[in-house]
Amino acid sequence: MCGSRRLYEYLRRGMALVAVGVFGWAVGAAELTLTPDALTRFGNGPMIARKLQGLPADPALPAVELSDESDAARQLRGLVARGVSQGFDRILYDNRDRDHSSLPASRFPNLTALRYAPDLVAAGLDYGLAGPIVIPGLVFGNSSTAMTAGVDARSLVRHAMTAPGGAARAYRDYVSNSIYMYPEHQDHDAVDLYPANWPYTIVSQGSSYSDRPFMEAVAMTLAAFPADTRAALIEHNLVAPTMQMILRRNLRGVRSRADYLSPVAHPTVFSGENLRPGRMIGQAAAMRPENIPPQVRLSMVQEDFSQSAGLAGLDEHLFTTPSAVARIWRGPAWERQMVVSAEPTVDPNGHGVQFDWVLLRGDPARVRIEPQGPDGMTARITVNWHDAFALPTNDSGGTDGRETSRVDIGVFAWNGLSDSAPAILSISFPTHQHRTYETGPGGAVRLASVDYDARRRGATYDPRLHWSAPWRDEFAYGPDGALTGWTRDTGHELDIYDASGQPVQGPPIRYELAQPPGEAPVLVILREGAQN
């Protein structure tokens, strides 16, 4: 099909798009430019690009450029040539870093590149995190960028996890057949700084260009699905969950189902060295519509994480979305509990589903998971406080020195044919505070002391989530184990507080967060009747 006929086909269907640079056979690529009049917004919701999808594939073009003689490229070209796989027909590639780290136009000749009209570029809608525009078609993309300036510097994924509404937007893409890749850029080096893990994005180890191996592997895997399988995935909005399963199931070191249901397959951040694109292509090509796994959806039945906890009275609920839930441990307790259900999970083919609840990160002695019912649909989860701990990285139990302050629990659905991608429950701990716990009467474990002065100790903390304070509290308990108060050491005086948190002597106090320009937040004490 020539370029002019392809342009005619799309204009005939009434798409508010402009096709630019269509084909140019030397480059072997097609582009669609999104314009403002193609966008619809309902109320305060997101903008939606109506009917946007990639261009039809030209059977005269190879699936992968012929100069690529890698095993994966030859495998995909053969599958498409034999009619097993659909190829890049109607798949969109959304580069969101203005070609800083983009797939070359000649790499996949039938892949449609999405471009943005000047007005949308001027508004920044083409750059950074995906989500401002919902694209109903099958889309994969990347942005090899990060927030690099100031105390709030972070990767785009950590930004999404810690910005209001960020997790909801990431989930919306996840269930809209869109999957995006971003680098961790210094958020997963000496320390894993992410407050949660989720299946919504793919995060690559490294900075600029570290996403390239994932873009190629994801592109070829999407192209490898048979046409009927891909149609079923799109119909049920399961493209991204299924891609996440295939990526994780075929990582280096994941040799069996037991490996898949273990930490080795579900890191926060993925290394390009562990990709096995040939195996990903093979699994996608072999998948039948009746074998598609479900998307695990969770609901919180009961929990003791609070909307106001700790001295600053901050919310312990970082985000609650159907396939990822994140909590921040702010209160003084040694132990927390929750009951979580996977009842909202529905298999696309009506198969019965069994659930596996797996500790992906954390001390097994401090996390107890008790599945309930014959199918394990619900689980009671009990977690004890965790100090920062080393992150295992290989089969022999060794570590690379990277630290984490988070517990992850994965929930997997097995429909008798395929395992799902995980839904992930994460609990992060404020280990920039130096806490000690002790055993009280009857064996109950209780908080003994907290050193809040992270700034003095040089401990880092996320300024969006946590704070420092220039004091250390030592807690006191009565013979029955009940809290009677604490002594606060500010470095220049000792203050005695009662069990309600008020000074034994002097006016009542309250706390307030202050954030000097260019610095992380600190907690300050305001005394009633005093000029602060």
Side-chain angles (χ1 to χ4, degrees):
M1 181 184 289
C2 69
S4 60
R5 181 179 173 191
R6 179 169 297 174
L7 175 59
Y8 168 76
E9 287 290 320
Y10 267 73
L11 294 179
R12 183 177 63 83
R13 296 178 194 182
M15 296 190 66
L17 299 168
V18 179
V20 297
V22 176
F23 268 91
W25 297 103
V27 206
E31 294 181 351
L32 289 176
T33 297
L34 181 62
T35 59
D37 57 351
L39 301 176
T40 300
R41 170 172 270 158
F42 299 99
N44 294 324
M47 290 176 285
I48 301 173
R50 303 183 305 273
K51 301 180 182 178
L52 180 60
Q53 61 180 345
L55 296 168
D58 187 333
L61 294 176
V64 186
E65 59 183 341
L66 294 176
S67 60
D68 185 350
E69 288 297 320
S70 67
D71 291 343
R74 289 200 303 267
Q75 179 185 10
L76 181 59
R77 283 197 296 261
L79 288 166
V80 175
R82 297 195 306 273
V84 175
S85 299
Q86 189 174 358
F88 288 99
D89 185 64
R90 293 180 172 83
I91 297 178
L92 272 174
Y93 167 55
D94 182 16
N95 173 260
R96 300 189 58 79
D97 57 27
R98 297 172 184 168
D99 291 327
H100 169 62
S101 174
S102 60
L103 288 171
S106 61
R107 184 74 179 100
F108 304 112
N110 270 316
L111 177 62
T112 304
L114 178 64
R115 300 297 182 187
Y116 293 80
D119 288 353
L120 301 181
V121 172
L125 294 173
D126 67 320
Y127 194 77
L129 271 174
I133 298 174
V134 175
I135 302 174
L138 197 168
V139 185
F140 76 97
N142 73 297
S143 185
S144 200
T145 60
M147 301 172 62
T148 59
V151 69
D152 202 37
R154 65 196 55 230
S155 68
L156 292 186
V157 171
R158 185 155 69 103
H159 168 58
M161 289 179 173
T162 55
R169 286 190 292 272
Y171 175 73
R172 187 176 62 213
D173 280 339
Y174 187 63
V175 294
S176 298
N177 298 319
S178 300
I179 188 161
Y180 286 87
M181 287 141 273
Y182 308 94
E184 53 83 21
H185 188 65
Q186 301 180 5
D187 275 353
H188 194 260
D189 296 338
V191 179
D192 182 349
L193 298 176
Y194 290 92
N197 193 355
W198 63 19
Y200 300 156
T201 56
I202 296 172
V203 188
S204 59
Q205 183 65 48
S207 296
S208 291
Y209 316 115
S210 64
D211 49 1
R212 283 292 299 277
F214 296 89
M215 293 152 56
E216 300 226 354
V218 166
M220 289 193 286
T221 304
L222 290 173
F225 285 114
D228 55 352
T229 302
R230 185 195 293 176
L233 289 169
I234 292 172
E235 178 186 356
H236 294 287
N237 295 311
L238 289 171
V239 169
T242 303
M243 175 59 68
Q244 283 281 7
M245 179 276 289
I246 290 175
L247 167 69
R248 295 157 187 260
R249 185 63 180 84
N250 294 289
L251 290 173
R252 183 170 60 90
V254 181
R255 306 176 186 89
S256 64
R257 182 170 186 259
D259 290 334
Y260 180 69
L261 300 178
S262 78
V264 69
H266 308 285
T268 321
V269 172
F270 295 89
S271 171
E273 298 176 352
N274 292 331
L275 283 173
R276 295 193 291 182
R279 292 177 63 94
M280 294 171 66
I281 292 168
Q283 185 173 7
M287 183 172 287
R288 304 302 306 140
E290 61 270 19
N291 297 349
I292 294 172
Q295 173 203 341
V296 178
R297 299 170 185 254
L298 303 177
S299 63
M300 189 66 64
V301 178
Q302 178 184 340
E303 63 175 317
D304 56 16
F305 286 91
S306 170
Q307 293 182 341
S308 177
L311 295 181
L314 299 180
D315 197 344
E316 294 186 300
H317 302 83
L318 180 56
F319 56 78
T320 303
T321 59
S323 296
V325 176
R327 299 292 183 257
I328 304 173
W329 191 300
R330 301 190 188 278
W334 164 255
E335 184 171 282
R336 314 295 291 271
Q337 282 196 348
M338 58 180 66
V339 177
V340 184
S341 174
E343 185 176 3
T345 303
V346 177
D347 184 80
N349 292 293
H351 298 307
V353 177
Q354 297 280 331
F355 295 93
D356 289 280
W357 301 73
V358 180
L359 180 62
L360 300 176
R361 178 175 299 190
D363 183 351
R366 296 190 178 193
V367 181
R368 296 178 296 285
I369 305 172
E370 303 170 84
Q372 300 173 354
D375 55 6
M377 182 179 291
T378 301
R380 179 177 297 277
I381 299 168
T382 306
V383 182
N384 300 142
W385 168 266
H386 281 58
D387 294 314
F389 57 96
L391 186 65
T393 59
N394 59 45
D395 294 343
S396 61
T399 71
D400 65 356
R402 183 180 292 125
E403 285 192 344
T404 181
S405 299
R406 197 181 72 238
V407 164
D408 289 338
I409 296 168
V411 188
F412 302 83
W414 166 255
N415 64 7
L417 299 165
S418 301
D419 282 300
S420 70
I424 302 176
L425 170 66
S426 298
I427 302 171
S428 66
F429 298 81
T431 56
H432 65 289
Q433 300 173 356
H434 187 267
R435 295 191 181 197
T436 60
Y437 287 85
E438 63 184 14
T439 302
V445 181
R446 62 197 186 187
L447 187 62
S449 67
V450 183
D451 182 350
Y452 293 103
D453 202 348
R455 298 178 71 175
R456 174 183 55 80
R457 288 181 279 106
T460 59
Y461 57 97
D462 190 327
R464 292 190 187 178
L465 305 179
H466 299 296
W467 45 268
S468 177
W471 60 74
R472 180 178 187 274
D473 288 344
E474 292 269 358
F475 296 90
Y477 298 88
D480 60 352
L483 178 70
T484 59
W486 60 84
T487 300
R488 175 162 295 167
D489 184 352
T490 63
H492 52 84
E493 63 181 355
L494 296 178
D495 296 322
I496 309 300
Y497 288 73
D498 61 26
S500 72
Q502 290 298 323
V504 172
Q505 295 182 336
I509 66 164
R510 59 184 176 88
Y511 298 98
E512 186 174 283
L513 283 172
Q515 187 166 4
E519 298 183 20
V522 294
L523 194 66
V524 297
I525 297 174
L526 302 180
R527 302 182 186 278
E528 290 188 12
Q531 190 169 4
N532 295 287

